[in-house]
Amino acid sequence: MELTLEIVVLPVSDVDRSKAFYTRLGFRLDADFTTDRGLRVVQVTPPGKGTASIIFGENLTDAAPGSVRGLHLVTPDLEAARAELVAGGADVSDVWHDADGIFHWAGDRNRLPGANTQHDSYSSYVSFDDPDGNEWIIQQIVDRLPGR
């Protein structure tokens, strides 16, 4: 079986505000269409190779705006990605790592400031929320573990 993650639906309260936010951050606008019956779909894709897209709009989900937590993007250069997101208007956290050094806890529990000094990959993060509060975490991966 071959499966790939293609789309993640984000619940938002203001479609045009979200569209402007994500395109300012460098997400590619792939689609914006509305049907006669009131379905609106906006699709944007984060910069990078092989990434899934996100969609938001009107009448796409019953989830509360801002209820999505822990969406992950990865980058080989966390500081550069952070700088670009800040330049695009996102309120991005400083670099942090988890005290246990494995992954990270929900919320901001167990976070320590700065990059993990023992590992270049899988252990350092920044985070930000979109205008509705949907949470994004960016993880630095310089060298992938075998088989990944």
Side-chain angles (χ1 to χ4, degrees):
M1 177 184 324
E2 182 178 327
L3 301 171
T4 58
L5 179 62
E6 187 75 18
I7 301 258
V8 174
V9 178
L10 284 184
V12 302
S13 61
D14 184 324
V15 177
D16 290 318
R17 177 182 68 178
S18 295
K19 177 181 170 182
F21 175 78
Y22 284 106
T23 56
R24 270 195 323 270
L25 296 186
F27 284 50
R28 182 185 70 232
L29 178 62
D30 298 323
D32 183 352
F33 64 86
T34 305
T35 69
D36 293 340
R37 295 180 7 148
L39 178 72
R40 182 172 178 196
V41 178
V42 176
Q43 178 176 326
V44 295
T45 303
K49 297 180 274 187
T51 61
S53 299
I54 60 171
I55 62 172
F56 47 86
E58 295 168 4
N59 298 309
L60 292 178
T61 180
D62 291 331
S67 61
V68 174
R69 313 300 298 156
L71 291 165
H72 277 69
L73 298 170
V74 298
T75 183
D77 189 340
L78 197 56
E79 290 289 352
R82 181 185 184 284
E84 287 186 42
L85 290 167
V86 168
D91 183 14
V92 184
S93 73
D94 290 332
V95 175
W96 53 271
H97 67 281
D98 186 80
D100 296 332
I102 297 172
F103 193 60
H104 60 81
W105 295 45
D108 59 3
R109 293 176 297 162
N110 216 41
R111 288 185 183 182
L112 296 174
N116 184 317
T117 58
Q118 296 176 340
H119 305 285
D120 288 335
S121 293
Y122 300 103
S123 300
S124 298
Y125 310 89
V126 297
S127 52
F128 68 95
D129 291 347
D130 74 5
D132 284 292
N134 294 303
E135 177 193 54
W136 290 89
I137 300 199
I138 302 179
Q139 180 181 38
Q140 180 168 285
I141 300 178
V142 177
D143 295 308
R144 291 193 176 273
L145 293 173
R148 295 187 184 179

